[in-house]
């Protein structure tokens, strides 16, 4: 009788150690414990390297939000700051400040409350002799370590459901663990929380769990404003179900009843997804616009002085109401993006921003290539918005992989985010914007690697065409060592892989490493 490990090694289409067999216990989300170790493998290097680079590279004197450090600092606080201080740069300062003091300053309202609330709750549970900032830094490192692993696991399960190619889904999840936005997955940013919630919601929607998916999407919209776009998934799936019923030739009364049910459930789910964002806008209105709203806390003089020096508006302070309070629909988020960061349609199209456009060029090209590949492969499917059932689907022989029909809505979602980000945002943030919101970046990269890299075609031979032995490949070990990880195998055999593979892995690994060096020392990055 074959050992279960031998059965796993005999399946060349499924990642070794990640197959569902009765001999292995399931972990969270149904992913094997070995897969958890593989998918979170880059997390520990990220934390270690940011500490090393933060110690070796002097911090840049950036013009960024930097509130004064208040209160005494003990030796443990100094140690945590030296080891984890790189996680608290740029926008992370806002999240840490909100977690400690709430929405004290108006421009803090550009950052939604779910992630800082999670930081505050976890920091309160840590039994350590640290000041609030040290506790929050430690909480951010622990929380994002967990959330990044959960996001990779959710992406793996979502990829299996959509692509129907376990090996391709596994490679995509490994690429997520080496994401070009990796520094933001580890730092005190909301990217890991958003990715874990959004990918989990997409997976639940693929399983047909509409209300659970809506709840997860709603939580995601409490972490990042672009979570509102995810309502499009709910609308698409409801519309697709109705279109399929039409093609089945159901009776008119049944169709009318079905349409009414789908429309009402879609409206309720969209309202649920929008609720956290709407409630937060109302909270900000009460906080900054209502007369006589007290803070319930004394504002330290150093913070008031910072607000005076920088022109920050303090909640509950005397003076004129902010301009956005008088709008018909007062949205503090839009006002802050416009006033504080000059975000708007084509506003970033200036000659001095060319370096930032170059910084966003790799992710722009890869995402555009993904959209073109899908459309050119499935022109009729795209023209009918994926609502027409193909004969191949009726026979149960629909194409799988990245170019399969199930990936259509994800390609549309990714392309819409790309177009909006390129035209209306600070373009350099596209890498982390897409890297934490859309699975397409990872699916298409995995698709290219599997389609064009001969080393991933091997079914057990330990020598490529050149005759040289492959590093990290040991058939006799049947999954032991690095042979379980195809990305590591490609990196170990760098000279043997194709130029396309080098470009893809170079982009992922290069941005991952540069992000740790630059971002953690207050240098401009994505």
């Amino acid at each position: 009788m074959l050992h279960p490990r031998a059965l796993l090694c005999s399946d060349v289409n499924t990642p070794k150690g990640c197959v569902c067999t009765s001999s292995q216990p399931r972990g969270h989300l149904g992913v094997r414990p070995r897969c958890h170790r593989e998918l979170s493998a880059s997390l520990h290097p990220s934390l270690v390297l940011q500490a090393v680079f933060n110690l070796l590279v002097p911090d840049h004197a950036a013009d960024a939000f930097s509130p004064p450090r208040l209160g005494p600092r003990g030796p443990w606080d100094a140690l945590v700051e030296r080891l984890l201080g790189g996680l608290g740069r740029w926008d992370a300062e806002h999240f840490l400040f909100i977690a400690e003091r709430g929405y004290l300053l108006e421009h803090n309202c550009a950052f939604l409350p779910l992630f800082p609330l999670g930081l505050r709750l976890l920091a309160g549970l840590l039994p350590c002799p640290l000041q609030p900032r040290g506790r929050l830094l430690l909480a951010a490192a622990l929380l994002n370590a967990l959330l990044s692993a959960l996001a990779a696991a959710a992406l793996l399960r979502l990829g299996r459901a959509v692509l129907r190619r376990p090996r391709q889904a596994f490679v995509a999840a490994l690429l997520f663990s080496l994401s070009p936005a990796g520094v933001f997955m580890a730092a005190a940013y909301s990217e890991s929380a958003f990715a874990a919630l959004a990918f989990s919601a997409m997976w639940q929607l693929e399983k047909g769990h509409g209300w659970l998916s809506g709840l997860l999407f709603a939580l995601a919209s409490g972490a990042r404003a672009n979570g509102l776009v995810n309502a499009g998934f709910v609308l698409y799936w409801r519309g697709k179900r109705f279109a399929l019923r039409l093609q089945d030739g159901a009776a008119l009364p049944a169709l009318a009843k079905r349409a009414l049910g789908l429309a009402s459930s879609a409206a309720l789910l969209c309202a649920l997804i929008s609720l956290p964002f709407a409630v937060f806008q109302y909270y900000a209105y009460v906080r900054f616009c209502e007369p006589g709203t007290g803070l319930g806390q004394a504002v330290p003089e150093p913070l008031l002085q910072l607000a005076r020096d920088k022109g920050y508006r303090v909640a509950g302070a005397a003076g004129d109401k902010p301009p956005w309070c008088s709008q018909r629909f007062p949205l503090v988020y839009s006002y802050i993006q416009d006033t504080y960061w000059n975000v708007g349609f084509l506003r970033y199209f200036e000659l001095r921003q060319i370096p930032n456009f170059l910084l966003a060029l790799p992710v722009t090209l890869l995402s555009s290539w993904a959209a073109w590949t899908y459309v050119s492969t499935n022109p009729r499917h795209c023209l009918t918005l994926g609502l027409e059932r193909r004969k191949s689907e009726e026979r149960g022989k629909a194409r799988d992989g990245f170019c399969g029909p199930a990936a259509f809505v994800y390609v549309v979602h990714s392309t819409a985010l790309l177009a909006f980000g390129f035209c209306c945002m600070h373009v350099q943030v596209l890498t982390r914007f897409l890297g934490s919101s859309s699975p397409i970046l990872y699916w298409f990269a995995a698709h290219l690697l599997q389609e064009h890299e001969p080393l991933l075609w091997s079914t057990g031979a330990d020598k490529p065409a050149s005759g040289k032995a492959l590093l990290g490949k040991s058939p006799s070990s049947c999954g032991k060592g690095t042979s379980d990880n195809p990305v590591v195998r490609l990196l170990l055999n760098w000279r043997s892989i194709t130029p396309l593979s080098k470009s893809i892995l170079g982009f992922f690994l290069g941005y991952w490493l540069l992000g740790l060096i630059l971002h953690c020392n207050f240098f401009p990055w994505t």
Side-chain angles (χ1 to χ4, degrees), residues 438-458:
S438 172
I440 290 297
L441 179 66
Y442 309 102
W443 287 350
F444 185 62
H447 164 79
L448 292 177
L449 288 175
Q450 289 226 295
E451 291 292 321
H452 301 285
E453 179 49 63
L455 288 187
L456 295 184
W457 302 344
S458 174

Side-chain angles (χ1 to χ4, degrees), residues 8-40:
L8 296 179
C9 294
S10 66
D11 186 355
V12 299
N13 294 318
T14 309
K16 298 172 183 177
C18 301
V19 185
C20 294
T21 62
S22 59
S23 60
Q24 290 182 298
R26 288 183 181 271
H28 179 79
L29 297 175
V31 183
R32 299 303 167 193
R34 188 178 184 87
C35 291
H36 276 303
R37 293 194 295 271
E38 294 281 0
L39 297 179
S40 61

Side-chain angles (χ1 to χ4, degrees), residues 193-210:
F194 185 79
L197 290 168
F199 294 162
S200 297
M202 295 171 190
W203 173 45
Q204 294 297 333
L205 194 58
E206 290 288 340
K207 293 171 63 179
H209 300 162

Side-chain angles (χ1 to χ4, degrees), residues 219-400:
L219 291 173
S221 70
R224 291 183 61 85
N226 62 291
L228 296 173
V229 180
N230 291 329
F233 285 101
V234 172
L235 294 174
Y236 178 79
W237 285 112
R238 290 298 188 269
K240 185 175 181 180
R241 288 176 64 180
F242 181 69
L244 294 179
R245 288 296 296 269
L246 279 176
Q247 295 173 51
D248 290 337
L252 186 59
L255 279 177
K257 183 178 179 180
R258 184 65 173 173
L260 182 60
L262 289 174
S264 58
S265 64
L268 288 174
L269 283 170
C270 289
L272 175 64
I273 293 171
S274 305
L275 183 62
F277 182 82
V279 169
F280 179 69
Q281 300 309 298
Y282 177 74
Y283 166 81
Y285 180 85
V286 172
R287 185 82 160 156
F288 290 92
C289 301
E290 289 292 323
T293 301
L295 283 171
Q297 66 183 81
V299 182
E301 179 57 31
L303 289 178
L304 291 176
Q305 187 60 47
L306 173 70
R308 288 191 289 265
D309 293 342
K310 296 291 187 178
Y312 299 150
R313 184 174 280 109
V314 180
D320 297 334
K321 286 185 179 182
W324 60 271
C325 294
S326 302
Q327 296 173 354
R328 184 176 182 182
F329 297 102
L331 294 177
V332 65
Y333 182 84
S334 302
Y335 172 78
I336 292 171
Q337 294 289 343
D338 177 37
T339 305
Y340 287 89
W341 283 289
N342 193 34
V343 172
F345 182 65
L346 300 185
R347 291 187 186 179
Y348 221 56
F349 282 66
E350 301 174 334
L351 289 177
R352 63 190 180 95
Q353 301 297 348
I354 289 178
N356 286 323
F357 277 89
L358 294 176
L359 196 60
L361 187 61
V363 74
T364 302
L365 291 177
L366 193 60
S367 299
S368 301
W369 189 7
W372 172 253
T373 299
Y374 192 88
V375 172
S376 60
T377 306
N378 306 282
R380 180 179 176 84
H381 188 70
C382 294
L383 287 174
T384 59
L385 301 181
L387 300 178
E388 181 185 49
R389 183 187 284 119
R390 296 179 176 183
K391 293 182 179 179
S392 59
E393 293 182 65
E394 293 175 355
R395 295 192 299 265
K397 298 180 180 179
R399 174 186 296 167
D400 55 8

